[in-house]
Amino acid sequence: MTSDTVASPMAQDGATRSLGLLVAPSGRASHHELWAMATSVGLSLDGPARWLTETVRVTSKRLALTWFNQDKALLPLPAGGYEWVERNDPRITEVRLLRETGRVGEVTGTSADNLLIVGDSYQALHALNSIPEYAQNYRGKVKLVYIDPPFNTEQTFGEFYDDNFDHSVWLTIFRDRVKQLSDLMSDDGVIWVHLDDAEVHRARMVLDAEFGIDNHLGTVVWQKADGPRNDLPNFSPDHDTLLVYGKTSEAKLIRSARDESLNSIYKSVDGDPRPWYDDNPTAPSAHRNQTWVYAIQSPITGDLMYPANGRCWGTKQETVLAALSEYAPYKQVVIDDDERRAEVCGVPVAELRKGIPALLLDVPLEEARELTDKRKAAGMWPEYIIRPKGSIGRKRIQPDKGSNARTMWFNSEVGHNREAKAEIKALFPGVNPFSTPKPERLLRKIIEVSTRPGEIVVDCFAGSGTTAAVAHKLGRRWITVETVKNTVDNFTAPRLAKVVDGSDMGGVTQPKERVADISLPDGVTVSMLDEARKVLDKLVKAKVLQADPDTLASLIKQMKTKPTKERLWHGGGGFRTLRVEEPRTVVAGNRAFLVEGAPNLGRWVAAQLGYTLTFDRRGVVGLKNRDVLVVVDGMVDEAQIAHAVSLLNDDETLTLAGVAVHPDATSLLANMLVGSRVIKVPNGLFKQSKVIR
Ligand SMILES: C[S@@+](CC[C@H](N)C(=O)[O-])C[C@H]1O[C@@H](n2cnc3c(N)ncnc32)[C@H](O)[C@@H]1O
């Protein structure tokens, strides 16, 4: 993109779309510059695109994603939908209380329990970050965030939720929740954002801005489909995309345990404590590594050995020489073998790098043989080994770190959309299943590469509750949030209750791994056996094998495999359900008012100001360091001040909040106690400068 063009999203969508990627030559674009940019792609600033003049901010040579009302916030409305408001609107900056509505299984009754929160995700996350009782357990402590927000796919998923937002609405909702999630994440925490093509490119820019380009750990492609769709005009989409970011550079994914089926190839015939297997001692690209192409004399046969054509020895000559010298004395001798070396290197003799010495025995062959046998008997062989017939091998030590997660995740390993639906149907037979669940195997893999048992997992777009269900089964702690109460009542809560009481037998409870009836020799895995049985079965049916039919039938029977009976999960633990409380403020003009008759005023004021509620000899007060919060559901006057001051310990200060404040109260308290203050509720809580992050 050049410095004065408008990028493709806007160019394609023309004036009807309300966002774009813009790069301007310098600073904030003037109207003239914007006009030039817009007309170059056929936009008129007199029409619906006039908003450009107000909302596009362009920085010198910086690529930035901008969108309509980017500087505003979206207030979730009780009846569904959102309203644009300023980022300092009290209805947005207000910290909502979380009220307990139920307990399932074993819980402690504290904020440290697993939590299913019913309400809007922004408000729930804001509460978790702001109310000290929750913040102390969760702010900066969450190891994994997985979110599967509505994709903005311009469809409506039946009665469950509305997925048809304007892009600007979607981006604002997404950005504000990502910021709250980021505050919850630990420095080594990881966030997985599950999307399809509709918003993934824009979401990535939002995530780049929040976490930094360098903390993008990778992008996983999940094969969600298990067959083609021919009802669509063009492509049949096979995959979703998961964007993975670390909170800081401390975030690292966990390598998976080694594939156990490969372990059997590692042995230790020389007593080496690190098991190894005998690998090919050569490497490719001989023509580029000609100094690694030369003859080695075998200490057993005396023959000269070269790498196969096109290959070279696996390391530099000094390393090979040092290893071979452990078996018998060797010397470096330049021999007349240019033609042979040129053949191995795949180059004409004229282009061969000449003068590379061969490694020849420095003792008679008989003596070399004896020395080699002795060295081998002593054990702990060097990197290059001498095989019984005299050829060379190389020790490949078993890696102890397991393997990195790969970026293509196939449905054979982690399930597909249909499997996820089947899991929900099995849990709730006869009910129209939740529309967009994800398979438990997918969440298992995400959780296992991102967390260890006991760590905290958050999903603030719960849907049917897959993330929490799998986190629970894997022994992780979890918080999940869902805004649609019907979804919670019909799917999320009963599903998680079934996980707790052990009646959920589906998903990862019973892993899909298969086991064999016979005990398998080293190097043979269950899937190999399965394949072999299928092939044998086909050959028998095709009557191409010359063997006794009973023997063949018996072989096929013995080779059968069956699903493992081992269970990953047997039930246990518990969770609390919380509800995001209704707002306490109404706004008229630029003033906020308290909703009449709302209970728990003290608790609510403490949450707004970040005071921890404490029970002591004074009853319930708020505490922040050495400042004591006292809340009066009435007028703060001389008598109230005197009473509150009498409650203080020596080194404490006072914050006295009331719904009305006597005109003299502020100066009276300031004179009595330096560092103390009076706050009028609610306007004193919502300063113009208080803006959501
Ligand atoms: C794609 S679904 C998640 C499916 C989930 N991963 C599962 O396996 O069932 C998205 C969910 O986010 C919920 N949602 C949408 N907006 C929300 C908001 N602002 N706060 C909380 N949940 C929201 C929707 O009601 C829907 O259930």
Side-chain angles (χ1 to χ4, degrees):
M1 189 162 56
T2 60
S3 64
D4 59 354
T5 56
V6 179
S8 55
M10 182 173 288
Q12 283 163 4
D13 289 337
T16 58
R17 278 282 182 245
S18 53
L19 77 165
L21 291 163
L22 278 131
V23 177
S26 63
R28 204 184 159 92
S30 66
H31 184 270
H32 174 76
E33 281 171 322
L34 282 170
W35 185 85
M37 291 157 79
T39 48
S40 73
V41 292
L43 282 177
S44 158
L45 288 189
D46 297 330
R50 182 173 275 290
W51 60 268
L52 278 171
T53 54
E54 282 135 38
T55 57
V56 171
R57 197 170 301 130
V58 274
T59 20
S60 179
K61 294 199 174 65
R62 263 193 66 196
L63 186 68
L65 177 65
T66 64
W67 65 85
F68 175 64
N69 271 348
Q70 182 172 26
D71 296 338
K72 294 212 159 73
L74 279 163
L75 179 71
L77 301 173
Y82 297 84
E83 179 189 335
W84 288 111
V85 295
E86 299 301 327
R87 291 181 79 71
N88 63 358
D89 187 302
R91 291 166 298 172
I92 280 284
T93 56
E94 173 183 349
V95 178
R96 299 287 189 86
L97 293 183
L98 299 175
R99 175 193 290 270
E100 181 176 300
T101 52
R103 295 181 178 195
V104 175
E106 290 163 34
V107 291
T108 61
T110 70
S111 58
D113 288 317
N114 297 321
L115 304 174
L116 165 57
I117 306 178
V118 187
D120 172 74
S121 45
Y122 173 80
Q123 290 159 348
L125 299 171
H126 189 211
L128 294 172
N129 268 315
S130 311
I131 302 174
E133 287 79 354
Y134 292 98
Q136 74 201 19
N137 280 318
Y138 299 115
R139 199 179 165 91
K141 304 242 166 93
V142 169
K143 187 66 195 305
L144 165 65
V145 171
Y146 165 85
I147 51 171
D148 172 23
F151 289 171
N152 208 2
T153 42
E154 300 185 5
Q155 17 172 332
T156 297
F157 289 102
E159 72 248 50
F160 300 119
Y161 64 93
D162 184 3
D163 194 22
N164 187 4
F165 297 116
D166 173 72
H167 296 290
S168 302
V169 172
W170 192 92
L171 279 166
T172 304
I173 292 171
F174 179 67
R175 174 202 55 199
D176 289 345
R177 281 146 191 81
V178 162
K179 281 174 181 288
Q180 291 295 327
L181 289 165
S182 165
D183 288 345
L184 286 177
M185 286 163 67
S186 56
D187 283 351
D188 61 351
V190 184
I191 181 168
W192 293 65
V193 179
H194 187 143
L195 295 167
D196 71 359
D197 267 356
E199 295 293 347
V200 67
H201 50 310
R202 286 179 277 265
R204 182 155 173 190
M205 293 195 75
V206 172
L207 293 166
D208 278 349
E210 179 59 32
F211 296 104
I213 292 169
D214 292 344
N215 291 323
H216 174 234
L217 302 184
T219 296
V220 167
V221 170
W222 167 52
Q223 187 190 22
K224 65 179 174 183
D226 63 335
R229 283 183 61 179
N230 295 319
D231 55 331
L232 299 171
N234 296 304
F235 282 113
S236 167
D238 278 311
H239 72 278
D240 278 351
T241 306
L242 292 102
L243 301 173
V244 189
Y245 282 74
K247 166 86 177 272
T248 71
S249 57
E250 281 179 38
K252 296 272 173 301
L253 296 181
I254 298 168
R255 287 167 178 233
S256 64
R258 279 190 316 273
D259 179 348
E260 295 301 318
S261 66
L262 294 179
N263 283 352
S264 55
I265 65 171
Y266 295 97
K267 298 260 160 41
S268 186
V269 285
D270 61 342
D272 192 324
R274 307 155 306 165
W276 55 272
Y277 75 89
D278 176 357
D279 197 9
N280 184 339
T282 65
S285 303
H287 64 289
R288 272 194 273 119
N289 297 309
Q290 295 183 19
T291 55
W292 294 14
V293 176
Y294 49 86
I296 295 177
Q297 189 175 14
S298 165
I300 304 294
T301 64
D303 293 341
L304 292 187
M305 301 176 288
Y306 287 88
N309 285 356
R311 298 184 67 87
C312 55
W313 298 114
T315 49
K316 60 184 179 189
Q317 196 178 62
E318 288 88 320
T319 313
V320 181
L321 178 60
L324 293 179
S325 301
E326 288 205 24
Y327 298 99
Y330 271 84
K331 58 187 174 195
Q332 292 169 291
V333 183
V334 177
I335 59 173
D336 180 13
D337 66 349
D338 286 355
E339 270 187 28
R340 181 79 171 88
R341 288 187 56 241
E343 188 191 339
V344 174
C345 292
V347 295
V349 176
E351 286 171 25
L352 181 72
R353 174 99 187 260
K354 308 211 172 59
I356 306 302
L359 299 184
L360 302 185
L361 290 168
D362 204 11
V363 289
L365 181 61
E366 206 50 43
E367 191 181 338
R369 237 183 242 145
E370 266 174 38
L371 289 169
T372 301
D373 286 347
K374 249 197 215 158
R375 176 64 189 86
K376 286 181 71 174
M380 283 298 290
W381 304 337
E383 180 177 352
Y384 285 90
I385 59 172
I386 307 297
R387 295 174 178 147
K389 289 190 177 160
S391 63
I392 292 180
R394 190 173 169 201
K395 275 175 142 180
R396 189 69 67 179
I397 307 285
Q398 187 176 33
D400 56 8
K401 282 196 168 147
S403 22
N404 277 335
R406 305 190 53 179
T407 54
M408 295 272 291
W409 290 14
F410 295 99
N411 58 28
S412 53
E413 190 200 355
V414 292
H416 42 64
N417 275 337
R418 214 161 44 81
E419 175 174 315
K421 276 255 174 89
E423 286 171 354
I424 300 297
K425 281 186 187 161
L427 283 168
F428 305 105
V431 174
N432 183 18
F434 179 76
S435 50
T436 56
K438 300 299 172 283
E440 290 205 4
R441 288 196 285 164
L442 175 67
L443 268 300
R444 177 177 180 178
K445 180 151 181 179
I446 292 170
I447 291 170
E448 285 183 339
V449 299
S450 314
T451 62
R452 299 185 194 284
E455 292 182 329
I456 304 169
V457 178
V458 167
D459 177 352
C460 65
F461 295 95
S464 64
T466 314
T467 310
V470 179
H472 199 102
K473 293 178 188 179
L474 295 175
R476 274 61 167 178
R477 294 159 59 203
W478 54 265
I479 301 178
T480 198
V481 186
E482 169 58 49
T483 194
V484 177
K485 190 165 177 308
N486 267 347
T487 300
V488 175
D489 291 346
N490 296 333
F491 296 101
T492 334
R495 177 184 193 169
L496 293 169
K498 285 175 193 237
V499 173
V500 168
D501 70 22
S503 62
D504 166 12
M505 294 296 292
V508 299
T509 300
Q510 188 99 48
K512 298 214 167 359
E513 273 97 61
R514 299 183 71 81
V515 286
D517 272 343
I518 50 175
S519 75
L520 298 180
D522 282 353
V524 179
T525 64
V526 176
S527 55
M528 285 164 141
L529 183 70
D530 242 350
E531 268 315 300
R533 188 185 51 77
K534 280 183 203 151
V535 173
L536 186 58
D537 206 25
K538 280 190 180 148
L539 295 175
V540 169
K541 283 193 179 123
K543 298 198 168 69
V544 293
L545 294 177
Q546 309 289 318
D548 164 34
D550 289 344
T551 311
L552 289 173
S554 153
L555 284 179
I556 291 173
K557 196 166 166 216
Q558 289 177 59
M559 289 165 79
K560 278 223 161 95
T561 65
K562 58 186 179 211
T564 174
K565 285 225 163 58
E566 222 168 82
R567 270 173 73 174
L568 180 87
W569 176 246
H570 292 89
F575 63 94
R576 293 164 67 212
T577 44
L578 306 178
R579 200 190 67 206
V580 175
E581 283 208 346
E582 296 303 311
R584 297 295 175 91
T585 42
V586 280
V587 171
N590 59 2
R591 288 179 63 80
F593 296 92
L594 268 190
V595 171
E596 292 257 335
N600 294 326
L601 182 69
R603 186 179 286 274
W604 182 77
V605 173
Q608 308 313 309
L609 295 171
Y611 283 69
T612 307
L613 288 184
T614 316
F615 298 81
D616 64 14
R617 64 175 174 80
R618 303 169 278 207
V620 184
V621 291
L623 261 189
K624 186 148 80 176
N625 303 321
R626 302 300 301 162
D627 195 49
V628 175
L629 171 72
V630 174
V631 180
V632 180
D633 195 356
M635 164 83 77
V636 175
D637 55 15
E638 195 177 345
Q640 292 287 359
I641 291 175
H643 172 69
V645 169
S646 74
L647 296 175
L648 300 184
N649 295 323
D650 277 355
D651 54 348
E652 288 175 336
T653 53
L654 176 67
T655 292
L656 188 52
V659 290
V661 174
H662 188 277
D664 298 335
T666 302
S667 58
L668 192 67
L669 180 60
N671 288 338
M672 280 173 80
L673 213 57
V674 180
S676 295
R677 59 183 175 158
V678 173
I679 291 181
K680 175 150 175 0
V681 176
N683 274 297
L685 303 171
F686 301 112
K687 297 267 156 38
Q688 285 290 304
S689 55
K690 188 170 176 187
V691 180
I692 59 165
R693 188 165 94 74

